[in-house]
Amino acid sequence: MVTWSVQTLLLALYVIAIICALYITFKAFQRSVWWGLVFLVSPLVFWFLGGVTGVVIAGIVVIGAQIYFVRKIWRDVGRIYVYMVVCWVGISAITIRSKGFIPEDTALASITGATVEQAGLPAHVNETYLPVDGGQIWYRRSGPGTGTPVILVHGGPGFSSYYLKPLEALGADRPVVRYDQLGAGRSTKVIDTTLFTVRHFVAELDSLRSALGYEKVHLVGHSWGTILGLEYYLAHPDRVASLTLGSAALNVPEWSRHTRKLVATLSESSQQVIREREAVRDFDAPDYAAAVNEFNGKYVWLRPMDADLDSTMKTFNQSLYLYMWGPSEFTIFGTLRSYDATRRLRNVKVPTLYTVGEFDEANPATIKRFGALTRGSKVEVIPNAAHITTWDNPDVMLRVVREFLRSVDSTAAATPAPGGGQ
């Protein structure tokens, strides 16, 4: 896939730049210990500033400090210095394309970016970052409503919350919190696989709830977010008012079996490419990516919102997705490959809504079985929609979720507190 190719190029540019920097440092020491030290600490300064301001500003500062001396030994190092600058330009271009001029996972973004975002936003909307284990997570709280808050839990793992934006309309009734999990979207990009665990993401979600001061919340999870939502409830049942599990991935082996059947509905050419590429584990091939896109266009999204799809793919953490899931929706060999929560659904005691698209890769029949195993739950099939129901049929999806949350709130309001009178 394209993302891996860009990551490989980025790594190559860093390696070449470091080699060039070491050569120039050696030449600088031959002329002057002072200038040698300047070039020796330059990579450390670049690394530090890169974490604060991003590589673009860091590079300008470092190159500006070096250029005076480089002019004096241009005959010896000029060509190598040009190579190093070209590498920096390439690194900067890739970084700007994927993360913006000042990446949102830098210290400067966390100090100033959130404040900039607040300007022009309605009084009931707040965007900021929350420190968690491993970095910072971005979240947006919106809605003037005063009902029980709802937290939207996106899918992936490694994707972002852009596609859940239509559900922010729930804010007329209650505060709505949309956030990007660590490693995804606008949150800190991480590659530390020790953080890629269900336990970590459950703790991260609880940190967000606690920081917001919410005693109890509705959870609306989608896809991988249903795993996270269910696991959060099982760990903290007293903190969850209800569960909405959209296109649930609660039995990954069953998901895998069904999506392999869906692969058989693709064009013959795509089926052949998938067989050939997966046999040699060549998941980066352009024709494999094209076959994946054909699958996505039939069973993941039918009518994507182009701007949000573009933002989703630009902020996609493929390393996280590959580690926990796999190279595609239908090829699963990550750490979640054997996840199956069906036997624990009988332990769910809060009101639960299952939603699934009519043409969803999650399979309406599977979701109905989940509903039968969950006491008192409700199942809604969203017509004319695939997996991303908030894109394919946002009006129906919003209405179904809104009515469910309102019914839960009204039932809770009519139920006397334990030990209370009528």
Side-chain angles (χ1 to χ4, degrees), residues 144-346:
T146 58
T148 302
V150 59
I151 298 180
L152 310 179
V153 188
H154 66 75
F159 283 96
S160 58
S161 66
Y162 285 102
Y163 72 95
L164 295 178
K165 285 163 63 175
L167 293 180
E168 289 185 329
L170 296 169
D173 296 340
R174 67 194 71 252
V176 179
V177 179
R178 178 167 62 88
Y179 79 105
D180 290 338
Q181 297 151 25
L182 187 70
R186 284 156 285 194
S187 296
T188 303
K189 302 298 183 296
V190 293
I191 58 174
D192 181 0
T193 57
T194 63
L195 299 171
F196 297 168
T197 66
V198 173
R199 178 179 296 180
H200 166 83
F201 289 112
V202 166
E204 175 182 287
L205 177 53
D206 196 51
S207 295
L208 176 61
R209 179 205 58 80
S210 177
L212 291 168
Y214 298 151
E215 180 179 349
K216 184 172 285 192
V217 297
H218 296 289
L219 290 180
V220 176
H222 179 265
S223 197
W224 138 254
T226 64
I227 296 177
L228 180 49
L230 177 64
E231 293 295 332
Y232 183 87
Y233 166 76
L234 294 174
H236 308 290
D238 57 320
R239 301 171 189 173
V240 178
S242 76
L243 288 171
T244 297
L245 305 175
S247 304
L250 302 179
N251 185 338
V252 177
E254 171 60 25
W255 177 297
S256 180
R257 287 189 291 270
H258 179 67
T259 52
R260 296 311 297 194
K261 292 178 183 178
L262 295 181
V263 168
T265 69
L266 302 181
S267 63
E268 287 296 331
S269 59
S270 289
Q271 292 183 55
Q272 181 176 350
V273 164
I274 290 170
R275 286 193 297 269
E276 292 176 352
R277 296 305 185 187
E278 292 189 344
V280 295
R281 299 176 74 86
D282 183 7
F283 306 118
D284 300 335
D287 54 358
Y288 184 79
V292 169
N293 287 337
E294 182 182 341
F295 180 93
N296 291 346
K298 295 183 69 173
Y299 304 113
V300 181
W301 51 67
L302 304 180
R303 291 172 294 280
M305 297 180 181
D306 291 340
D308 288 337
L309 176 59
D310 184 58
S311 297
T312 296
M313 300 313 296
K314 284 182 177 180
T315 58
F316 173 42
N317 186 337
Q318 190 170 19
S319 298
L320 172 53
Y321 182 73
L322 189 68
Y323 182 81
M324 294 188 72
W325 191 261
S328 69
E329 293 291 278
F330 51 80
T331 303
I332 305 165
F333 51 64
T335 57
L336 293 173
R337 64 187 179 277
S338 60
Y339 180 87
D340 182 1
T342 52
R343 292 186 178 181
R344 295 186 290 157
L345 293 178
R346 64 178 181 269

Side-chain angles (χ1 to χ4, degrees), residues 57-68:
I57 296 176
I60 292 173
V61 172
V62 171
I63 291 173
Q66 293 175 342
I67 196 67
Y68 173 78

